[in-house]
Amino acid sequence: MTSTESQKEQVYLDQVYEELLKAKNRLEDYLDQTKDSGLSQIKAMSGDLSLNFSNDSDSLETYAMLESKNREIDQVNFQLKLTSEQLKRIVNLLRSPYFGKIGVDFLEQEPVEFFYIGTNNFSNGEGADLIYDWRAPIAELFYNNETGPSGYRVNDQDISVSIENRRQFIIKKNQLLRFFDTTVAIQDDILLKVLETDDTGFMQDITATIQKEQNQIIRDQVHPNILVNGIAGSGKTSTIMQRIAYLLYNLRAEVSADNMIIFSPNDSFVHYLSHVLPNLGEKNPLNLTLLRYVSDNLGLMVEKEPVYFERVSQSSLSQEINVIRSLRFVTAIKEAGELLKTTATSFEAITSRGKIVISKKRIKRFYEETDPLLSYSERLQATKNKIATYWTRQLQKTAKSDAIQNQVLSLSEGLQRKYFGSEIADDSTQSVLRYGYQLLDRKYGSVRSSIAHYKWLDYRDLFATIYAELEGETYVWQDENTVTLDEAVGLLLIKHFYVERLEERTIRFVLIDEIQDYTVAQLALLFELFPKARFTAVGDENQAIFNSYSPFDQIATLFKTNQKSLERYDLLNSYRSSGAITNLFSHVLKNNGQEPSESIDIIPVRPKGELPVLWAQDESNDISEIVSAIITKDNLDSLTILTKTQQQANRLKEILGPDMKWVKKDSEKCSVTVLPICLAKGLEFDNVLVYDVSKEAYQSKKDYKVLYTQMSRAMERLYITYLNDDPADILLSAVDQQLMVTSDPWYGGENEE
């Protein structure tokens, strides 16, 4: 690229940056002035008020004046909020104003127009557009694959154009670090340069590196439901986040972040995603795990995340678990209304402070008194009304006692205000009775809540009744005090169908990460609870390392069963890991026992980098020595050790000690983290050590999927250890094919280096 072109681009960048600084200063000045004057404005408004409640006419006039002043205050607050949001976008742009530029010929014998593409729109004080948001219709041209004839759609109209030029920038503040033109959307060397920039520890912003295959998914508004099968490092999760930002921008008149929900694979990943959308100037939608969502909505004790992951990591499954995870069991729940009406009559006593206040026997009698011709749901509602009426009468009866009336009259003025909202002005018998009832109702508020929320209903009995009818045998609960996620899904479906409808009809988009780890029953639950939503789900069938796995074909069938059309995309380019690491986990994937027709070709995008290293470990060379040697040799700032199981992770933490800090060559400290793979799925780390890939532990197809998942977490360097001079066969074949090297000394045979 000529120096003249570089100078022109630097001049434009300087102009844009100067305008951004002006806008930043202007907005900051406005906020400062408004905050300083805000209190005085409110005081001035208050001084203008003349409160008069002498009669109805004066009262109405006073209320109208108050309403007018409230609207003035609301308008000031709205303007402050709007200005603050604008300032955040400007600050974000100041870090890197734009990343792309397109020259567009509108085929109207006019000069080619240039559009600079960034993470947000920006116009100068005169209204001239200096930067276009990457989600704007015109910006789609930047991501179209080829230069030449093209087009885009805006306001339901197709615009034909010719893309004459596409330019990519790498900019830091007002410094133009690098740029060049490409004929395709974004060439790999640009992508590599961006991916090689300093990582903050959160997901990298890949707005500037969206490839055509990702762009199709992000901007797809034709297909209501999308399923993405992407190999490790293909940008699946990034694509989901960019899709959210795109939808929020293009549907902003009808959709907000409150109309979306993200289901993440674990709590660590929830935190991992927390900074992505705010960096794009968007509010985060509700983001949580399915385990947390079910627990919050069920009202029963559900297993904690570590217990859940330990359970789904087990190799064997009981027949009971297979049944309750199945679509057959979901169907049985849907059709159990008549069964439950006549057979499920077990209830829970309502208690307060450990004492029974309404017995199971009484609740059962109330249920039996309801009309047997009603549906089961209607009989439960009628039972709830009977319980509530009974409880009201009990409180009224107790309120008449001398003890309660004396208690009311003896309350201090402070307690009167606390319990009743004001002091007792009337101590007549009728008034004291009313206050006594309020006092009791407040004291036993948990009882009223238990009645309203069906705490008197034995959900477990309903579940067991349905299971026994389906299977002809008694269901054995995993635990007396808590329920598993699989059990909780069935219980929540029962609650939804027969107790209280739980549809969240305001949710327009449901986004699911790691969908291959969802059971059929879990997906069926989501379809029931979000009937108006469009689903975007991403995953990797080759990372199906849990026993909750559902094949993508089965997932697609489930969508069809629920009358939901589905568009599938496959992502095969790997951007995360170095070429050498990608080649190694691709080798594992192709040699894990799959049929040749099942294997896929993973395309590494990044440079080869350093070959992964195989380390032997025995009693004289424990993991502490290996970690120390690796950190010293490669002068690492961080090292993440990934284990196959939680038990291994716990043991390693004991061996390595609580500090987890190791001295590097330059006497600085290296941070060492130990994680089981179940908690590391979806995450990425600069340097990874996969612990103990011995032949005994890695033999099956599932074991190799675990290894593929572990390896693909690494971006720059990968180390693998094994015990007892017996590495997994896949590692030996990788050494033979020069996909990895062995450490020095080599304990498993001759050093191949």
Side-chain angles (χ1 to χ4, degrees), residues 62-344:
T62 298
Y63 288 134
M65 188 180 301
L66 287 170
E67 179 65 24
S68 175
K69 295 302 180 184
N70 284 335
R71 284 198 297 269
E72 291 182 40
I73 295 172
D74 288 342
Q75 184 62 34
V76 172
N77 288 333
F78 175 77
Q79 192 60 44
L80 281 172
K81 180 181 178 181
L82 188 63
T83 304
S84 296
E85 292 173 352
Q86 291 175 336
L87 181 59
K88 287 180 182 178
R89 289 193 288 271
I90 295 298
V91 170
N92 185 45
L93 287 174
L94 281 167
R95 299 190 187 103
S96 180
Y98 47 84
F99 53 77
K101 172 186 175 182
I102 45 174
V104 182
D105 184 350
F106 286 92
L107 312 177
E108 296 176 350
Q109 297 184 344
E110 296 291 334
V112 171
E113 294 186 41
F114 294 98
F115 301 86
Y116 287 80
I117 312 300
T119 55
N120 290 108
N121 291 318
F122 176 67
S123 303
N124 63 14
E126 299 174 356
D129 292 319
L130 302 181
I131 304 172
Y132 288 81
D133 192 296
W134 68 274
R135 297 162 292 188
I138 189 69
E140 185 173 355
L141 297 174
F142 180 76
Y143 300 105
N144 287 350
N145 197 34
E146 300 288 343
T147 55
S150 187
Y152 65 101
R153 189 171 181 83
V154 58
N155 296 329
D156 296 325
Q157 291 187 348
D158 293 320
I159 309 297
S160 296
V161 300
S162 176
I163 302 175
E164 299 300 310
N165 174 266
R166 179 182 288 102
R167 180 165 289 177
Q168 179 80 36
F169 303 95
I170 297 178
I171 294 173
K172 184 177 182 181
K173 296 183 178 180
N174 60 344
Q175 297 180 18
L176 179 58
L177 303 180
R178 188 180 178 205
F179 76 96
F180 57 83
D181 297 336
T182 70
T183 56
V184 296
I186 302 169
Q187 288 191 342
D188 290 342
D189 45 357
I190 281 292
L191 174 64
L192 304 179
K193 185 66 179 179
V194 176
L195 290 178
E196 288 168 1
T197 58
D198 184 45
D199 184 30
T200 62
F202 294 100
M203 181 183 297
Q204 293 169 320
D205 178 5
I206 66 156
T207 306
T209 63
I210 301 171
Q211 298 296 279
K212 183 181 180 182
E213 58 183 5
Q214 296 168 337
N215 189 49
Q216 288 178 324
I217 300 169
I218 291 166
R219 296 174 184 266
D220 188 342
Q221 294 190 65
V222 175
H223 303 100
N225 304 295
I226 293 173
L227 178 64
V228 181
N229 186 24
I231 56 91
S234 59
K236 299 183 297 295
T237 303
S238 297
T239 300
I240 268 195
M241 303 308 287
Q242 300 290 346
R243 177 166 171 77
I244 292 172
Y246 177 79
L247 292 171
L248 288 174
Y249 179 86
N250 281 273
L251 303 177
R252 54 193 177 277
E254 51 187 292
V255 174
S256 72
D258 295 332
N259 303 122
M260 296 181 172
I261 185 170
I262 305 171
F263 286 101
S264 288
N266 53 60
D267 286 336
S268 297
F269 206 70
V270 172
H271 176 69
Y272 186 62
L273 294 181
S274 62
H275 288 242
V276 178
L277 285 174
N279 286 340
L280 295 175
E282 299 290 356
K283 175 185 173 184
N284 273 321
L286 178 62
N287 180 13
L288 74 177
T289 64
L290 180 66
L291 183 65
R292 175 62 60 85
Y293 180 84
V294 170
S295 179
D296 290 346
N297 283 275
L298 183 59
L300 297 176
M301 291 293 294
V302 182
E303 64 185 340
K304 301 300 182 183
E305 188 172 274
V307 177
Y308 165 74
F309 280 121
E310 182 178 357
R311 187 171 61 80
V312 297
S313 297
Q314 296 171 358
S315 57
S316 60
L317 281 176
S318 69
Q319 178 60 24
E320 289 177 322
I321 296 300
N322 280 323
V323 170
I324 67 174
R325 286 180 173 180
S326 69
L327 189 59
R328 190 166 64 96
F329 188 63
V330 173
T331 302
I333 292 174
K334 287 183 180 181
E335 299 173 351
E338 288 300 313
L339 170 70
L340 297 179
K341 186 168 69 171
T342 57
T343 61

Side-chain angles (χ1 to χ4, degrees), residues 410-456:
S410 64
L411 289 173
S412 66
E413 292 179 351
L415 289 177
Q416 290 175 26
R417 290 191 295 271
K418 176 182 177 181
Y419 293 139
F420 312 131
S422 62
E423 296 175 16
I424 297 175
D426 179 8
D427 60 358
S428 65
T429 300
Q430 198 64 31
S431 178
V432 173
L433 282 174
R434 186 176 70 255
Y435 284 123
Y437 176 85
Q438 291 181 25
L439 182 65
L440 288 169
D441 198 36
R442 184 183 180 91
K443 179 179 180 182
Y444 293 98
S446 62
V447 175
R448 189 76 70 184
S449 176
S450 295
I451 296 172
H453 293 96
Y454 294 88
K455 296 293 182 64
W456 44 272

Side-chain angles (χ1 to χ4, degrees), residues 661-698:
K661 298 288 186 181
W662 299 76
V663 178
K664 306 189 301 179
K665 283 182 179 178
D666 52 12
S667 299
E668 294 182 0
K669 295 294 182 72
C670 171
S671 175
V672 178
T673 305
V674 179
L675 287 173
I677 187 56
C678 63
L679 297 183
K681 283 189 67 176
L683 303 180
E684 57 189 32
F685 311 97
D686 286 337
N687 311 300
V688 168
L689 186 153
V690 181
Y691 175 74
D692 189 17
V693 185
S694 300
K695 186 173 183 178
E696 181 181 358
Y698 288 82

